[in-house]
Amino acid sequence: MNELHTGELFNLDNFEYVIIDELEIDNNEYALLANVDDEEDIIIQKIEEDEENISFLPISSQEEFDKILIAFEKHMTNNVEA
Amino acid sequence: MNREAQREERAQRLATLDMQYKKDIENAIFRVEKEEVQERYLEQRKAINEEYQSIIGGTSYSDRLNRKIERAERREEMTDKNIKIYERICQNSVDGKTKTIKKSEKQNLHVGKLRGGKVLIAGIITVVVTAASVPAINVAKNPAILSENPVVQNLQKKKQINSDFEAAVKEYDVSQKLEDKNFKDLNGYIGTKDENELSKLAGIDLVMLKIYKRSLAAEYLEFMGVPGSDWEERSNNFANSQGSPDWKTYEKETKENFAIEYRAEQNTIAKGNAQ
């Protein structure tokens, strides 16, 4: 069970990103993050956690990215409409 | 009420009016009465059309076509912009190294700011996915697909036809043909006689002849300083100044011949210059 929540802020590469949404797909955890100073700077990362740390891993391929992006789009649209 | 509903309502009102018109015409025995019915019918149709045009914001066919092209081009620009965002998100997400953060360093964004941010990002993701999904998610790899969009192609084709048509009218040169057929001194004839008859006599295409006549009238109104940015606006302004609702009605009512007047004015000026 991941401990990541929407609204949490992280400093990645000296930029502040906020978690906008999280999803579990094929037993993997993914997070969609946005730069708080640039709404078009969006990033999707695979999440791995241990007791002390959270790791943000790059997506392995463009095909995987497309699949996850569409899943996030559906999830976010449903949440916003709800 | 949405556009479709407005269109249907207008169509229904026009259909009812048309039916009523047919009945009224059947009942109108005398010629004068028939003309009155026709006039009333045309006025009502015009009022419905004007009301509809004011709702949809359209005027002439070319205005509507230009607006459609602008919208399609804007859509294309937007799609291009959204595909760039898609590429950026993809690059950010696929490239790069793993970053590890200590859980103790986590902070939270203010809840109000987050709510606004979520809606904004959801909107961006939706348009990005839509742009990138037409017709396939990896459209970014092939931007040429955008220029193959049938809507854009169709509109561009119509624009091309219009411009080709204008060029063809110019090339056809009715004025020169009238001169060639010895109608040089009879340019005024163009308005005084039936267009069909003149078309046959001079061997000039009827459509081109009508366009030529219209262009003379347009030049005349411009020459007279009638306000308006184009023929449609200028001719309607002129008709209004004469107490008619629009140019067509005015032309029908008065049978005014602007071609003759314009030629006469031009001839007077030419003669004055020659002296």
Side-chain angles (χ1 to χ4, degrees):
Chain A
M1 180 76 187
N2 92 64
E3 291 178 31
L4 215 55
H5 297 104
T6 300
E8 287 175 342
L9 288 167
F10 294 92
N11 194 303
L12 304 174
D13 296 333
N14 295 322
F15 290 104
E16 209 165 25
Y17 285 86
V18 60
I19 295 190
I20 295 292
D21 202 7
E22 337 107 68
L23 262 184
E24 189 185 313
I25 303 166
D26 300 334
N27 294 321
N28 292 314
E29 297 288 338
Y30 295 93
L32 188 144
L33 303 106
N35 184 331
V36 290
D37 296 317
D38 177 3
E39 71 270 13
E40 287 178 7
D41 180 8
I42 298 165
I43 180 168
I44 294 174
Q45 300 280 262
K46 190 173 170 185
I47 305 296
E48 282 179 7
E49 292 180 60
D50 59 30
E51 286 194 359
E52 287 186 4
N53 299 310
I54 299 170
S55 293
F56 296 87
L57 288 77
I59 307 296
S60 60
S61 67
Q62 187 167 343
E63 285 68 31
E64 189 191 354
F65 167 79
D66 286 345
K67 192 174 111 183
I68 299 162
L69 180 72
I70 290 170
F72 267 117
E73 195 269 324
K74 279 186 188 154
H75 189 242
M76 289 173 81
T77 307
N78 291 339
N79 282 350
V80 169
E81 280 170 1
Chain B
M1 198 189 294
N2 63 28
R3 284 260 168 98
E4 198 51 45
Q6 284 165 354
R7 205 170 285 136
E8 273 177 26
E9 192 207 323
R10 172 178 165 272
Q12 267 180 6
R13 283 165 63 197
L14 286 175
T16 311
L17 187 65
D18 283 347
M19 205 183 290
Q20 187 58 45
Y21 169 70
K22 278 174 194 157
K23 273 186 197 168
D24 289 351
I25 279 289
E26 279 167 18
N27 294 334
I29 301 164
F30 300 107
R31 194 177 149 272
V32 175
E33 201 182 334
K34 268 189 184 176
E35 279 177 4
E36 277 173 9
V37 170
Q38 274 169 340
E39 200 174 312
R40 199 168 59 239
Y41 163 78
L42 288 172
E43 273 174 14
Q44 284 173 328
R45 267 196 89 111
K46 186 170 173 282
I48 292 172
N49 276 331
E50 274 176 1
E51 184 191 332
Y52 178 67
Q53 292 299 336
S54 74
I55 292 168
I56 65 164
T59 47
S60 65
Y61 169 74
S62 63
D63 284 347
R64 289 199 298 276
L65 179 62
N66 283 334
R67 272 202 295 275
K68 272 187 183 175
I69 292 169
E70 276 169 24
R71 279 201 296 271
E73 283 172 351
R74 178 99 185 99
R75 271 201 299 276
E76 200 173 0
E77 272 173 30
M78 287 302 291
T79 307
D80 202 35
K81 182 181 174 240
N82 292 326
I83 282 171
K84 283 198 174 82
I85 301 175
Y86 161 82
E87 286 176 315
R88 187 178 170 191
I89 302 172
C90 181
Q91 200 176 349
N92 285 347
S93 307
V94 176
D95 296 347
K97 292 177 181 168
T98 300
K99 296 155 198 96
T100 303
I101 312 271
K102 285 199 180 303
K103 283 184 178 174
S104 56
E105 291 173 5
K106 279 197 301 188
Q107 286 183 312
N108 282 303
L109 189 68
H110 183 270
V111 69
K113 210 173 168 186
L114 175 67
R115 200 174 294 133
K118 277 182 83 171
V119 173
L120 181 70
I121 302 299
I124 292 175
I125 296 296
T126 301
V127 292
V128 163
V129 167
T130 308
S133 307
V134 181
I137 188 79
N138 287 332
V139 72
K141 289 176 184 168
N142 184 12
I145 286 170
L146 291 175
S147 61
E148 288 165 14
N149 181 320
V151 177
V152 174
Q153 275 185 346
N154 192 29
L155 290 169
Q156 293 295 358
K157 206 185 284 171
K158 278 187 183 174
K159 199 179 182 182
Q160 186 59 43
I161 289 168
N162 273 5
S163 116
D164 289 350
F165 184 67
E166 277 169 23
V169 169
K170 213 174 252 180
E171 201 181 317
Y172 192 85
D173 199 349
V174 173
S175 177
Q176 186 61 48
K177 284 195 165 51
L178 284 168
E179 277 192 39
D180 294 347
K181 301 277 179 183
N182 291 324
F183 278 88
K184 190 177 178 180
D185 300 326
L186 292 172
N187 267 345
Y189 189 82
I190 194 168
T192 56
K193 293 282 178 184
D194 178 59
E195 286 157 349
N196 288 300
E197 190 188 335
L198 183 61
S199 163
K200 282 175 199 157
L201 282 173
I204 294 172
D205 181 83
L206 182 61
V207 175
M208 294 292 182
L209 193 63
K210 284 184 175 177
I211 291 169
Y212 179 65
K213 189 183 168 190
R214 163 67 65 89
S215 73
L216 284 180
E219 278 179 46
Y220 178 76
L221 293 187
E222 201 172 351
F223 174 78
M224 293 291 286
V226 177
S229 58
D230 56 13
W231 159 254
E232 198 168 331
E233 207 179 315
R234 199 171 284 126
S235 61
N236 285 332
N237 278 341
F238 182 81
N240 292 342
S241 75
Q242 304 299 307
S244 288
D246 58 38
W247 174 259
K248 271 190 178 172
T249 314
Y250 176 80
E251 210 177 26
K252 205 175 164 188
E253 281 170 358
T254 62
K255 309 270 182 210
E256 200 74 53
N257 192 328
F258 291 95
I260 290 175
E261 286 188 31
Y262 181 65
R263 281 286 161 203
E265 298 267 11
Q266 292 292 303
N267 286 339
T268 311
I269 291 167
K271 276 177 194 166
N273 288 342
Q275 281 165 4

